[in-house]
Amino acid sequence: MHRFKRTLAAVALTTTVVAGTAGWAAAHREAAVTGPPPGTAAWRADHSLHRTLPDPATASPAEVARFFAALPEGARQRLADRHPLVVGNLDGAPPALRYAANRRALAAERADRLRQAADTSLPEYERADARALADRYRELLAPGRRILAFDPRGRGQLAEVYGDLAGARRTAVVVPGSDIDLSSFDRRTDPYGTPAGMARSLRAEMARRSPGTPTAVIAWAGYTTPVGVGPDAATGRLAEAGAPRLDRFLAGLAAAGAAAPAVFCHSYGSVVCGLAAHAIGRGEATDLVVLGSPGVRAGSAAGLRTTARVWAVRRNADDWIGNIPNVELFGLGHGADPTSADFGARRVSSAGAHGHTGYFAPGTESLRHCAEIALGAYDAVR
């Protein structure tokens, strides 16, 4: 009876929150970016190699990997030059080829935005937006950056590699939560609340703990995230659209020969990981770690039906996500608290962390333990 009353109270709270934001959220409902990358039609129509190219919508990452492995280097480069947005987002393609393709795609997008910014027939606000995007693309084109995925559609999606993915023995993938897109991927304010900041901090801690181990960490902002607090964040709609993209991305890493990563899922990103978990193939992820999680759309760790180890970082006292009811009813909420003892995940200390975005801050136990998980040093995790 106590649990029933608590659930009713939680449902009432969730309904009140959503009702209070419904007018705002209805006007800001995000359209999920799904399907194959831009330029797919031209790719499918390309017969320059006198063979059918793998369909980005239907070919598995393993099939993509075999296709590129059979091509001479010159043919690979020609495809990347002709179809940069396809090759740059094609899971299973060689990472180095994707980096080159995405540099070409970013340069082309920047040139288009500069042309718009110089077009005096356009309203000033459009020209200002174009200038801002051109500046953003210039930052992403800085020497040494390894952009593994770039999709300009919607608010923009991105994945960046920190380290040498081909040579890494230990790898990790960071999956972020709400309010992350092309513009906020690596913002300077609140750095540990961005996928880039999380990934850089995690890799630095991995290097500190095991300086002789080659590592790589990928910041993956490859799905349409909710904006603000409202029905998009309270439901699984965007996570359901993002989960297959994460599954395919991880399968692509495996097909390209990368070491299986530990996957770190922050906030709403843990909902994406929870929905993706059952489809993650053996050898495609070693561990799933949730941080600042509102729930993973499963009643227990076993309910995720994954071969990966499941970890839950304990919430710190001032993380507002602790005020979110752990229910799932009528499509609202994300289910059981993964940090509770009866959920069955391996629980991890977050001592020293503050707020919802502080789990990867230097000096915290959560960062130290996440690095140990990524390195496979499981006995050190508490």
Side-chain angles (χ1 to χ4, degrees), residues 15 33-34 42 69 102 141 155 172 184 207 233 269 291 294 303 305 307-308 313 331-332 345 356 360 370:
T15 304
V33 172
T34 58
N102 283 318
L141 285 165
R155 289 158 36 218
S184 56
L291 313 93
R305 294 178 291 141
T307 58
V313 176
L332 295 175
H356 187 53
F360 287 92
C370 285

Side-chain angles (χ1 to χ4, degrees), residues 98-140:
R98 293 178 67 172
Y99 301 154
N102 283 318
R103 288 192 65 81
R104 179 175 284 273
L106 282 161
E109 289 290 322
R110 182 170 186 265
D112 285 345
R113 298 296 85 74
L114 289 173
R115 281 191 289 270
Q116 288 181 351
D119 187 348
T120 56
S121 69
L122 295 175
E124 178 53 32
Y125 74 89
E126 288 189 17
R127 297 174 65 194
D129 287 346
R131 284 193 294 272
L133 265 180
D135 285 344
R136 186 74 186 105
Y137 295 145
R138 176 182 53 79
E139 293 171 350
L140 294 172

Side-chain angles (χ1 to χ4, degrees), residues 35 70 92 101 103 113 116 122 145 154 164 202 206 223 297 312 335 340:
R103 288 192 65 81
R113 298 296 85 74
Q116 288 181 351
L122 295 175
R145 299 194 73 163
D164 178 9
L202 177 59
M206 292 169 71
Y223 76 105
R297 298 248 152 178
S340 66

Side-chain angles (χ1 to χ4, degrees), residues 32-310:
V33 172
T34 58
T40 291
W43 169 271
R44 288 171 176 154
D46 188 337
H47 300 292
S48 60
L49 299 183
H50 307 291
R51 60 188 299 180
T52 301
L53 306 183
D55 190 336
T58 60
S60 71
E63 290 170 334
V64 171
R66 287 194 293 271
F67 169 80
F68 279 103
L71 290 182
E73 183 62 26
R76 295 183 188 184
Q77 292 297 333
R78 286 194 295 275
L79 286 176
D81 291 344
R82 290 165 64 90
H83 308 283
L85 280 170
V86 172
V87 174
N89 291 287
L90 200 54
D91 294 311
L97 188 67
R98 293 178 67 172
Y99 301 154
N102 283 318
R103 288 192 65 81
R104 179 175 284 273
L106 282 161
E109 289 290 322
R110 182 170 186 265
D112 285 345
R113 298 296 85 74
L114 289 173
R115 281 191 289 270
Q116 288 181 351
D119 187 348
T120 56
S121 69
L122 295 175
E124 178 53 32
Y125 74 89
E126 288 189 17
R127 297 174 65 194
D129 287 346
R131 284 193 294 272
L133 265 180
D135 285 344
R136 186 74 186 105
Y137 295 145
R138 176 182 53 79
E139 293 171 350
L140 294 172
L141 285 165
R145 299 194 73 163
R146 297 178 174 94
I147 306 301
L148 189 60
F150 164 63
D151 190 334
R153 294 178 295 177
R155 289 158 36 218
Q157 298 183 4
L158 199 67
E160 184 169 12
V161 177
Y162 302 89
D164 178 9
L165 185 59
R169 288 208 344 255
R170 290 287 177 176
T171 65
V173 173
V174 173
V175 180
S178 298
D179 299 307
I180 296 298
D181 53 30
L182 188 73
S183 65
S184 56
F185 179 83
D186 54 357
R187 59 179 180 257
R188 291 178 177 84
T189 58
D190 187 24
Y192 305 115
T194 70
M198 294 177 191
R200 283 194 290 256
S201 184
L202 177 59
R203 184 164 184 260
E205 184 69 10
M206 292 169 71
R208 195 172 78 82
R209 301 213 153 266
S210 184
T213 302
T215 63
V217 180
I218 303 170
W220 182 81
Y223 76 105
T224 303
T225 67
V227 173
V229 178
D232 273 349
T235 68
R237 182 180 65 88
L238 294 179
E240 288 164 1
R245 297 175 75 83
L246 177 59
D247 287 329
R248 186 175 178 86
F249 179 76
L250 294 174
L253 294 180
V263 183
F264 296 86
C265 316
H266 180 249
S267 193
Y268 190 83
S270 67
V271 186
V272 178
C273 289
L275 292 173
H278 74 280
I280 296 173
R282 187 177 295 274
E284 293 177 0
T286 58
D287 303 85
L288 289 179
V289 186
V290 301
L291 313 93
S293 173
V296 295
R297 298 248 152 178
S300 66
L304 292 172
R305 294 178 291 141
T306 178
T307 58
R309 299 173 192 84
V310 179

